[in-house]
Amino acid sequence: MLSAGHACVDVYQGAVAALVPFLVAERAYTYAAASGIVLAASLLSSVAQPLFGAVTDRWALPWLLPVSTLLGGLGIALSGLTDSYPLTLALAAVSGIGIAAYHPESARVARIAAGGSHTAMGWFSLGGNLGFAAAPLLVAAVVAAGGLRLTPLLALPALAGSVLYLPVLRALGTSARPAGGGASRVGRDDVASFARLSLAVAFRSVVFVGLSTFIALYVPARTGGGTAAGTAALSVLYLGGAVGTVLGGGLADRWDRVTVVRASYLVSVAAVAGIVFVPGPVVYLFAALTSVGLYVPFSLQVTLAQDYLPGRVGTAGGVTLGLTVSAGGLAGPLIGAVADATTLQTALAILIAMPALSWLLFRTLREPAGPRPRRREEDDDVPVR
């Protein structure tokens, strides 16, 4: 239920960008105005997440899960009903606040429900990845049929997600949860390691956002195909992320997380280089390897951050899921500027260094002490309290 609810929320992370073509077509927004709406949602969400994380470190707020899900959907659902640009901007910001409020608390609750299992956390993260990838299809199906006036239908995932969380709240037994967000203090906070981890996540975000933005433009030139070739490459990039998220949890249950993340970043270096320099259809293979390599660390970095800051797991989740991700969005225009000044291949070649830098940072990290995963037989006897 947590994974499905995560999908229902992250639909709205992808929905804002998916609405841009319709806003431009129906309201004659300039590209700058349309990108301002995307920025209002994404940047506000990324910056606000650590603040919500700090709040959940002091108080357990699992009721935020259904409430923030509804808030995230409400902003998008109402955005098509007004011609006012400032109001549309404000509604996008409301959705961003809902998403920001959701992620730190959901990461904490998911860690409790997972009982320390990295595989379980991988499935939780997979839900968000699938929701994000489904957003363009959902928006196109709704808005293309009847225009922006049908955006209230986009509230349906939020309604479904909020209902899914009601039995989750009952299972948690929230009334017995202590102050401090229920954090399990397994040691002292390792701020230095957390800072290095956060920087590695930021570098990862730069390469993924850069490829997501430009791979659909780059691949047709490398393969001799048309627009469909670029769209197919973008789809491979997203689908590989779903595979990598689940794979990362399974690998970390066999080996330690730091070792798995190091190896995945090394794979990513070679894979990104393949996208940039190898011509022909094999670029799709490199796109898949890149996505898997970048998403194997996804959920593992969240739990590592929580274990580096065992007394502030909400803050840890907020930074790794929110603030560091905004680094990729901020770097996007810089990559575009380099491409305008030189070539797109030159701009994308810079991205090869990003997973290499993440690997170097992980070379300085050690596996922290974390919660012991529950054995299967314990799951039948011990309720999640």
Side-chain angles (χ1 to χ4, degrees):
M1 286 185 287
L2 283 166
S3 182
H6 195 184
C8 292
V9 172
D10 277 9
V11 160
Y12 301 108
Q13 291 215 77
V16 180
L19 282 170
V20 164
F22 300 100
L23 292 170
V24 171
E26 288 195 28
R27 300 181 182 173
Y29 284 172
T30 64
Y31 291 123
S35 64
I37 292 174
V38 177
L39 185 65
S42 60
L43 188 59
L44 182 60
S45 174
S46 298
V47 173
Q49 281 189 47
L51 302 179
F52 281 104
V55 171
T56 60
D57 283 335
R58 292 183 58 85
W59 302 282
L61 303 174
W63 54 265
L64 270 178
L65 300 184
V67 171
S68 61
T69 300
L70 289 172
L71 194 62
L74 181 66
I76 298 300
L78 297 180
S79 63
L81 301 183
T82 175
D83 291 329
S84 167
Y85 180 75
L87 186 54
T88 302
L89 201 69
L91 289 169
V94 166
S95 180
I97 291 173
I99 292 168
Y102 169 83
H103 279 96
E105 182 68 359
S106 68
R108 183 189 69 83
V109 172
R111 191 76 188 276
I112 294 171
S117 167
H118 304 308
T119 299
M121 285 297 290
W123 284 107
F124 171 71
S125 297
L126 174 65
N129 296 337
L130 293 178
F132 183 86
L137 299 175
L138 179 62
V139 170
V142 171
V143 181
L148 292 171
R149 63 185 179 84
L150 293 184
T151 56
L153 292 176
L154 295 176
L156 292 177
L159 295 173
S162 62
V163 171
L164 281 171
Y165 280 123
L166 297 181
V168 172
L169 297 186
R170 287 196 295 269
L172 283 169
T174 57
S175 61
R177 187 151 300 287
S184 176
R185 292 183 177 273
V186 295
R188 295 199 304 176
D189 290 346
D190 185 350
V191 178
S193 293
F194 175 75
R196 293 195 294 272
L197 169 69
S198 298
L199 190 57
V201 176
F203 287 135
R204 175 224 172 260
S205 175
V206 169
V207 65
F208 187 78
V209 172
L211 287 174
S212 298
T213 303
F214 296 108
I215 195 171
L217 299 173
Y218 184 69
V219 165
R222 303 296 291 174
T223 62
T227 304
T231 302
L234 185 59
S235 298
V236 169
L237 195 68
Y238 285 157
L239 291 174
V243 174
T245 300
V246 176
L247 180 63
L251 291 174
D253 279 335
R254 289 180 174 270
W255 296 281
D256 68 86
R257 291 165 292 180
V258 171
T259 298
V260 171
V261 173
R262 285 174 185 163
S264 69
Y265 279 133
L266 280 180
V267 170
S268 299
V269 173
V272 175
I275 291 176
V276 176
F277 295 115
V278 179
V282 74
V283 71
Y284 294 106
L285 173 61
F286 286 117
L289 288 175
T290 297
S291 186
V292 171
L294 293 176
Y295 266 95
V296 161
F298 189 78
S299 65
L300 305 183
Q301 290 171 153
V302 176
T303 59
L304 278 169
Q306 291 172 332
D307 288 342
Y308 286 136
L309 294 185
R312 290 178 284 175
V313 295
T315 299
V319 171
T320 51
L321 288 170
L323 189 60
T324 53
V325 174
S326 67
L330 294 175
L334 298 178
I335 298 170
V338 173
D340 288 335
T342 57
T343 66
L344 184 54
Q345 184 180 50
T346 300
L348 293 181
I350 297 172
L351 299 180
I352 300 172
M354 298 297 107
L357 291 172
S358 295
W359 175 78
L360 286 173
L361 285 164
F362 262 86
R363 291 275 296 172
T364 69
L365 297 178
R366 60 175 179 79
E367 181 72 17
R372 179 181 62 87
R374 289 197 307 269
R375 299 187 306 272
R376 181 179 298 274
E377 57 269 22
E378 290 177 324
D379 289 335
D380 298 329
D381 301 325
V382 181
V384 180
R385 296 296 187 193

